[in-house]
Amino acid sequence: MSEPRRSPADMSAALAGSMAERTGRILAEWVELVRAAGPDPLDRNAVRAGLRDAHGVKQNTRWAIAGEAARAAGWREPTFEEHVDAQYAGTRAALRPIYDRRAARVELGLRFDDPPASARLEPAKAPGQATHRVVLRGPVEVDVEVEFLLRAAYEQNG
């Protein structure tokens, strides 16, 4: 029997809860360090780069800290619809019908240093940090194996 699914908020709370053990600082201390260090906390790319370069913070932890620092500065996560609308705005508006037709198929990108054995893993072809992908054609395909692959990628990326 698999564990119950954890929400993104639960996963963030778990990451924040173990942060002191892994990094020597709690999340609030990292947020204060970001605020005092000077990069604009709304520039999450700059914050993540600074955490990597100055402190050697691993990827998932950098993202959690940068997100929390941005939220503390007033940022809010856009909704899914807002992300899609922004992606297909302006000169890319003509591409929206292509997205709408493909919306029934999702490629889940995962980053592995040591990929687990799975017939569902394919090499990632797009640019970015994903080394592998899993093609999903509906919610029913997000099963125990996909959850295992997500957990393995999460654990390998700190």
Side-chain angles (χ1 to χ4, degrees):
M1 186 167 152
S2 67
E3 295 179 24
R5 290 186 191 200
R6 295 186 345 183
S7 72
D10 290 340
M11 290 173 28
S12 291
L15 181 63
S18 65
M19 196 172 291
E21 180 181 316
R22 289 179 291 103
T23 68
R25 291 184 173 97
I26 63 172
L27 182 57
E29 291 171 326
W30 280 111
V31 169
E32 178 56 28
L33 185 141
V34 167
R35 190 196 61 71
D40 179 356
L42 298 177
D43 184 351
R44 292 173 295 148
N45 287 332
V47 170
R48 289 189 297 264
L51 291 167
R52 178 195 62 226
D53 298 344
H55 303 283
V57 177
K58 290 191 173 188
Q59 179 175 329
N60 288 349
T61 305
R62 286 194 309 264
W63 279 77
I65 295 167
E68 187 63 25
R71 280 186 289 283
W75 176 80
R76 73 163 181 82
E77 179 74 36
T79 66
F80 175 79
E81 291 79 16
E82 289 170 334
H83 275 297
V84 172
D85 289 344
Q87 182 174 353
Y88 294 105
T91 59
R92 294 176 286 182
L95 299 173
R96 180 65 184 256
I98 297 168
Y99 165 80
D100 291 338
R101 282 193 300 273
R102 288 198 52 161
R105 177 176 186 256
V106 172
E107 293 181 8
L108 172 64
L110 300 167
R111 181 178 179 275
F112 291 109
D113 294 323
D114 183 22
S118 172
R120 293 174 72 181
L121 280 180
E122 302 173 7
K125 297 177 184 172
Q129 294 193 12
T131 59
H132 294 79
R133 69 180 182 167
V134 176
V135 175
L136 303 169
R137 290 182 176 80
V140 70
E141 292 188 9
V142 181
D143 57 14
V144 173
E145 184 175 7
V146 171
E147 290 177 10
F148 166 77
L149 293 170
L150 283 166
R151 186 172 292 118
Y154 174 81
E155 289 172 356
Q156 287 186 28
N157 288 282

